[in-house]
Tab-separated table of all heavy atoms in Angstrom:
chain	number	residue	atom	x	y	z
I	225	ALA	N	17.591	-17.033	-10.946
I	225	ALA	CA	17.759	-15.616	-10.499
I	225	ALA	C	16.537	-14.782	-10.898
I	225	ALA	O	16.120	-13.895	-10.094
I	225	ALA	CB	18.991	-15.008	-11.196
I	226	ALA	N	15.873	-15.027	-12.000
I	226	ALA	CA	14.721	-14.336	-12.458
I	226	ALA	C	13.520	-14.620	-11.512
I	226	ALA	O	12.789	-13.695	-11.105
I	226	ALA	CB	14.315	-14.704	-13.865
I	227	ILE	N	13.395	-15.885	-10.981
I	227	ILE	CA	12.373	-16.198	-10.116
I	227	ILE	C	12.551	-15.525	-8.731
I	227	ILE	O	11.615	-15.023	-8.162
I	227	ILE	CB	12.217	-17.733	-10.010
I	227	ILE	CG1	11.733	-18.274	-11.275
I	227	ILE	CG2	11.346	-18.145	-8.834
I	227	ILE	CD1	11.737	-19.850	-11.327
I	228	VAL	N	13.828	-15.550	-8.305
I	228	VAL	CA	14.094	-14.855	-7.025
I	228	VAL	C	13.819	-13.348	-7.157
I	228	VAL	O	13.208	-12.700	-6.293
I	228	VAL	CB	15.508	-15.118	-6.622
I	228	VAL	CG1	15.983	-14.208	-5.439
I	228	VAL	CG2	15.704	-16.629	-6.239
I	229	LEU	N	14.225	-12.775	-8.208
I	229	LEU	CA	13.962	-11.358	-8.475
I	229	LEU	C	12.465	-11.023	-8.548
I	229	LEU	O	11.999	-10.050	-7.976
I	229	LEU	CB	14.671	-10.877	-9.739
I	229	LEU	CG	14.546	-9.425	-10.116
I	229	LEU	CD1	15.204	-8.528	-9.013
I	229	LEU	CD2	15.154	-9.106	-11.393
I	230	LEU	N	11.755	-11.851	-9.182
I	230	LEU	CA	10.303	-11.733	-9.310
I	230	LEU	C	9.662	-11.834	-7.910
I	230	LEU	O	8.753	-11.042	-7.639
I	230	LEU	CB	9.704	-12.810	-10.170
I	230	LEU	CG	8.178	-12.719	-10.413
I	230	LEU	CD1	7.777	-11.510	-11.117
I	230	LEU	CD2	7.719	-14.000	-11.166
I	231	PHE	N	10.137	-12.690	-7.069
I	231	PHE	CA	9.599	-12.836	-5.681
I	231	PHE	C	9.861	-11.526	-4.917
I	231	PHE	O	8.897	-11.012	-4.294
I	231	PHE	CB	10.281	-13.966	-4.976
I	231	PHE	CG	9.907	-14.073	-3.527
I	231	PHE	CD1	8.669	-14.524	-3.094
I	231	PHE	CD2	10.855	-13.654	-2.547
I	231	PHE	CE1	8.383	-14.539	-1.805
I	231	PHE	CE2	10.573	-13.715	-1.251
I	231	PHE	CZ	9.333	-14.184	-0.841
I	232	PHE	N	11.066	-11.004	-5.004
I	232	PHE	CA	11.366	-9.778	-4.255
I	232	PHE	C	10.559	-8.561	-4.791
I	232	PHE	O	10.029	-7.719	-4.018
I	232	PHE	CB	12.832	-9.513	-4.258
I	232	PHE	CG	13.645	-10.267	-3.297
I	232	PHE	CD1	14.497	-11.238	-3.734
I	232	PHE	CD2	13.380	-10.232	-1.957
I	232	PHE	CE1	15.270	-12.037	-2.847
I	232	PHE	CE2	14.059	-10.994	-1.073
I	232	PHE	CZ	15.014	-11.948	-1.511
I	233	VAL	N	10.447	-8.445	-6.052
I	233	VAL	CA	9.692	-7.360	-6.688
I	233	VAL	C	8.195	-7.459	-6.280
I	233	VAL	O	7.494	-6.506	-5.972
I	233	VAL	CB	9.828	-7.290	-8.223
I	233	VAL	CG1	8.877	-6.385	-8.871
I	233	VAL	CG2	11.236	-6.894	-8.520
I	234	SER	N	7.680	-8.647	-6.297
I	234	SER	CA	6.212	-8.908	-5.921
I	234	SER	C	5.992	-8.562	-4.444
I	234	SER	O	5.053	-7.877	-4.131
I	234	SER	CB	5.820	-10.353	-6.136
I	234	SER	OG	5.948	-10.639	-7.562
I	235	THR	N	6.974	-8.948	-3.667
I	235	THR	CA	6.848	-8.597	-2.193
I	235	THR	C	6.853	-7.116	-1.981
I	235	THR	O	6.129	-6.588	-1.157
I	235	THR	CB	7.958	-9.287	-1.411
I	235	THR	OG1	7.930	-10.683	-1.660
I	235	THR	CG2	7.875	-8.973	0.119
I	236	PHE	N	7.782	-6.426	-2.692
I	236	PHE	CA	7.882	-4.944	-2.579
I	236	PHE	C	6.584	-4.280	-3.025
I	236	PHE	O	6.068	-3.404	-2.333
I	236	PHE	CB	9.048	-4.442	-3.443
I	236	PHE	CG	9.094	-2.954	-3.571
I	236	PHE	CD1	9.484	-2.154	-2.453
I	236	PHE	CD2	8.722	-2.352	-4.716
I	236	PHE	CE1	9.474	-0.791	-2.584
I	236	PHE	CE2	8.718	-0.962	-4.813
I	236	PHE	CZ	9.127	-0.184	-3.751
I	237	LEU	N	6.043	-4.743	-4.127
I	237	LEU	CA	4.757	-4.129	-4.585
I	237	LEU	C	3.681	-4.376	-3.669
I	237	LEU	O	2.771	-3.562	-3.438
I	237	LEU	CB	4.463	-4.662	-5.982
I	237	LEU	CG	5.393	-4.143	-7.142
I	237	LEU	CD1	5.010	-4.779	-8.416
I	237	LEU	CD2	5.300	-2.615	-7.235
I	238	PHE	N	3.518	-5.610	-3.148
I	238	PHE	CA	2.531	-5.923	-2.198
I	238	PHE	C	2.582	-5.047	-0.950
I	238	PHE	O	1.619	-4.504	-0.422
I	238	PHE	CB	2.592	-7.383	-1.723
I	238	PHE	CG	1.622	-7.756	-0.734
I	238	PHE	CD1	0.324	-7.989	-1.032
I	238	PHE	CD2	1.987	-7.888	0.644
I	238	PHE	CE1	-0.650	-8.271	-0.072
I	238	PHE	CE2	1.060	-8.293	1.589
I	238	PHE	CZ	-0.281	-8.492	1.202
I	239	THR	N	3.816	-4.821	-0.474
I	239	THR	CA	4.063	-3.936	0.716
I	239	THR	C	3.640	-2.554	0.331
I	239	THR	O	3.012	-1.859	1.230
I	239	THR	CB	5.506	-3.989	1.135
I	239	THR	OG1	5.930	-5.367	1.390
I	239	THR	CG2	5.805	-3.141	2.354
I	240	LEU	N	3.974	-2.055	-0.807
I	240	LEU	CA	3.667	-0.704	-1.211
I	240	LEU	C	2.123	-0.490	-1.263
I	240	LEU	O	1.619	0.542	-0.772
I	240	LEU	CB	4.277	-0.383	-2.531
I	240	LEU	CG	4.258	1.034	-3.039
I	240	LEU	CD1	5.110	1.918	-2.120
I	240	LEU	CD2	4.793	1.100	-4.477
I	241	VAL	N	1.468	-1.446	-1.863
I	241	VAL	CA	-0.032	-1.333	-2.005
I	241	VAL	C	-0.696	-1.413	-0.599
I	241	VAL	O	-1.603	-0.658	-0.319
I	241	VAL	CB	-0.576	-2.463	-2.878
I	241	VAL	CG1	-2.043	-2.527	-2.855
I	241	VAL	CG2	-0.145	-2.154	-4.359
I	242	SER	N	-0.188	-2.303	0.275
I	242	SER	CA	-0.755	-2.374	1.612
I	242	SER	C	-0.540	-1.101	2.371
I	242	SER	O	-1.446	-0.601	3.142
I	242	SER	CB	-0.091	-3.512	2.369
I	242	SER	OG	-0.343	-4.762	1.777
I	243	TRP	N	0.622	-0.490	2.262
I	243	TRP	CA	0.900	0.793	2.935
I	243	TRP	C	-0.006	1.884	2.442
I	243	TRP	O	-0.560	2.644	3.148
I	243	TRP	CB	2.390	1.148	2.685
I	243	TRP	CG	2.782	2.485	3.141
I	243	TRP	CD1	3.049	2.912	4.410
I	243	TRP	CD2	3.022	3.602	2.249
I	243	TRP	NE1	3.373	4.249	4.416
I	243	TRP	CE2	3.423	4.696	3.127
I	243	TRP	CE3	3.031	3.812	0.906
I	243	TRP	CZ2	3.767	5.990	2.640
I	243	TRP	CZ3	3.314	5.100	0.441
I	243	TRP	CH2	3.690	6.220	1.288
I	244	HIS	N	-0.210	1.925	1.058
I	244	HIS	CA	-1.103	2.927	0.503
I	244	HIS	C	-2.522	2.763	0.966
I	244	HIS	O	-3.207	3.691	1.327
I	244	HIS	CB	-1.085	2.854	-1.018
I	244	HIS	CG	-1.927	3.846	-1.679
I	244	HIS	ND1	-3.250	3.528	-2.080
I	244	HIS	CD2	-1.740	5.158	-2.106
I	244	HIS	CE1	-3.787	4.615	-2.618
I	244	HIS	NE2	-2.884	5.530	-2.641
Side-chain angles (χ1 to χ4, degrees):
I227 290 172
V228 169
L229 181 63
L230 179 64
F231 172 76
F232 282 115
V233 169
S234 298
T235 303
F236 170 74
L237 290 175
F238 177 76
T239 304
L240 190 66
V241 169
S242 297
W243 172 74
H244 179 268

